[in-house]
Amino acid sequence: MTVFSKYVGRIAEKYDKSGLSKQAFSYALVGTALFALTIKVTVPYIRNAQCIKHKNANAGALTPSEIDGLHDDLKLAEAEKLLVEKQLKKQQKNKQMLEPGLNKEFLKQLSMLVRIMIPQKLCYETGLLTVHTLCLISRTFLSIYVAALEGAIVKFIVRKDIKQFALVLLKWFGIAIPATFINSMIRFLESKLSLAFRTRLVRHSYRLYFKNQNYYRVSNLDGRIENADHRLTEDIAVFSSSVAHLYSSLTKPCFDLMLIGLALMRSSRKMKANILSGPALSVSVIALTAHILRIVSPKFGQLVSEEANRYGYLRHIHSRIITNAEEIAFYSGHKVELQQLRQAYNRLVNQMNNIFSQKLWFVMLEQFFMKYVWSGTGMVMVSLPILTGAASSTSNNRTMEINDSSVSERTQYLTTARNLLISAADAIERLMSSYKEIVALAGYTYRVAGMLDVFEDTAQGIYSKATIAENEEINGIIEFRGGKPIAKGRIIYIDDPGNMSISLRAVPVVTPNCDIVVPSLTLCIEPGVHLLITGPNGCGKSSLFRILSGLWPIYAGELHIPRPIKNKPCMFYIPQRPYMSIGSLCDQIIYPDTRDDMKRKGITENELMNILKLVSLEHIAQRNSFDVVRDWKDILSGGEKQRMAVARLFYHKPRYALLDECTSAVSIDVENSIYEIAKSMGITLLTITHRPTLWKFHTHILEFDGQGSWKFRQMNSNENQKEKFIH
């Protein structure tokens, strides 16, 4: 650039001699550069437009693959546009919810989270905070001491006092060891604080997440949290680190400003100057710039919260693809999944670009005030004691010595004050920058506190989910309060050992979105009443099991069930696709019991082997020991998984078994054996099945017609499965 400037200067001088001024030459040069930049920007767009026009004019010359690719891109663009419109509509519907920001709600949520992170006045976290605060104060004193040493070093250099210079330099090197240790301790304790806060929040969140089957209620009955896994991991981690970092970012600058201000006032007093003029000027300038920055600051809390939400949705799409990879591959659905991933990623990119553009001009304004306005103010503060200080009275004989001494004193003051002002400016800059961190913290506080509020609500049976339009039929069965349905039904536990029946009294079968499947259901199931449940798809068969298990709320009526006994559950549910947990073969059989529960019940591995023989799975135990850990979800076939679930049924021996197509992948002979064994164990069967061969194992039938009506009756001994029950 230097060579280029000299070359341009020579050309300008050459044209200046010929009558062309340097100003005109500069205008011509700048105009040429702007014209070249315009051509460079516009030519690619013109070429692209010509290419598109040429392709449209010669569409017949395109290959089929190119045409398909063009159509796919157009469809993707339309889908992304529709998704963005859908998200905007959803945001408009949720306007009644408070947006994250620096308001009373933020302070309320933050205080609630602080009580969780620091539960007592004397605990591990308060100890870390105390040590961390002491280190911050020590670092401030060390900074002031180091600034004084540097001023003394410059003073003795000006005086040419080699002995004192060497002594002060040794002190300067000696103080470096504790200073570096304190700096490392501050970062170490900040990390420890972040981890301690995160541990408290995670333990509290996990306790709420698994309270009253919240892990099911949050994702299936409530619609306020779309990705609880992201909030439980990423959001809590970022919130904890932000709180820990913000504590040191706010505490140390406050200590620095307080102690540095006192040190500057003491130095001004030594210079016999006014000690209030400099601080008053600095406070006025800082307050004015802080007020301006606060007014023009974008809403970083809302921006960060939306970015975290979109990032969590992108992770959710990835996890869905991983979970359902086989089904997607069978359907060759990669185009649809790729489209959804692009949509989610593009929405995240748009939000990040929005944040970048918002930060661009704000950081520019912030740096203008902090780097230039404050630096000029600092120069004025440093110069005031020297320019306005009282002159020392001296005799004529010692004028030279006094002048040398006063010069060294002013140099020491100037060096010390300069270093202190640099530290003070850095502290103020960190305080100003902390405003953005506080606003960003408001976004994470909103998400973490909102998650805990949802957990508390769902644990108490309060749900908020998009429902179908309220009409007279719904209002006659379901009561709405504040736009939310109220579960007025009751679950009554029976403690009478002589009455172990299950009864429903005018209980409606209602889906989580308030779609009424059956307006009222009344029936009584006593031990030994083996019930076969039939009906078309969507008539309420599986919904009845969810109500009996307590997963879905009861909006009216009463449900009477026996109180669960610790060693023998009342009901045991087996779905069509059983869940295989992480662990050994023994863990699969006894799930959800643990090894300690198994030992307390007095069950041995020989009994587990007998259970496996009942379901024809003894070959698995012979091939693998009971303690070997495998990925059983991938090792076992579909039929083996269903038989493993039946093995759990034989292990727990409940009073009632809720069987939802649980033997659809099992051979008929093994299936018949399983049902015979279950009845011989005294287990009452409640079965949803489409197999006619299971008809003979039941005594009663519950028929749903899919229109809200039902029929409960006893089966005849010679009655056969009718075609109308098979759907």
Side-chain angles (χ1 to χ4, degrees), residues 29-46:
L29 184 63
V30 173
T32 305
L34 292 175
F35 179 73
L37 179 62
T38 304
I39 293 176
K40 181 179 178 182
V41 172
T42 56
V43 165
Y45 289 101
I46 296 174

Side-chain angles (χ1 to χ4, degrees), residues 8 20 52 113 130 151 158 165 229 255 268 313 406 469 480 496 507 651 660 716:
V8 173
L20 182 66
I52 294 173
L113 294 177
T130 303
V158 173
F165 168 74
D229 56 337
F255 290 149
S268 299
Y313 180 72
S406 60
F480 286 88
D496 184 9
V507 175
Y651 167 83
D660 191 353
N716 299 326

Side-chain angles (χ1 to χ4, degrees), residues 112 116 201-219 222 224-233 236 447-463:
M112 182 265 291
I116 296 174
L201 284 175
V202 165
R203 289 177 178 174
H204 181 78
S205 301
Y206 284 175
R207 186 165 56 250
L208 288 178
Y209 192 54
F210 287 92
K211 180 181 179 181
N212 293 339
Q213 299 173 325
N214 257 355
Y215 53 88
Y216 175 84
R217 299 168 184 257
V218 167
S219 58
D222 195 276
R224 285 172 285 181
I225 299 179
E226 296 181 354
N227 42 11
D229 56 337
H230 184 267
R231 296 202 184 193
L232 286 168
T233 54
I236 288 181
R447 290 177 61 82
V448 175
M451 175 190 67
L452 298 180
D453 289 339
V454 171
F455 288 173
E456 293 282 1
D457 289 346
T458 54
Q460 299 173 8
I462 302 174
Y463 310 110

Side-chain angles (χ1 to χ4, degrees), residues 284-296:
S284 301
V285 172
I286 292 171
L288 179 61
T289 55
H291 181 67
I292 295 174
L293 290 176
R294 186 180 64 85
I295 292 176
V296 302

Side-chain angles (χ1 to χ4, degrees), residues 112-127:
M112 182 265 291
L113 294 177
V114 168
R115 287 194 296 270
I116 296 174
M117 295 185 294
I118 308 176
Q120 299 176 355
K121 294 182 179 180
L122 297 177
C123 60
Y124 176 70
E125 288 75 17
T126 55

Side-chain angles (χ1 to χ4, degrees), residues 530-532 679 692 694-703 711-722 724-725:
H530 304 288
L531 182 64
L532 182 71
K679 293 180 68 176
L694 296 180
W695 184 272
K696 57 187 175 182
F697 299 105
H698 300 82
T699 61
H700 292 70
I701 184 170
L702 177 63
E703 307 174 48
K711 184 185 296 184
F712 176 68
R713 62 183 177 83
Q714 185 175 0
M715 295 170 56
N716 299 326
S717 59
N718 57 352
E719 189 174 3
N720 295 321
Q721 176 80 7
K722 297 181 181 179
K724 69 175 183 178
F725 298 137

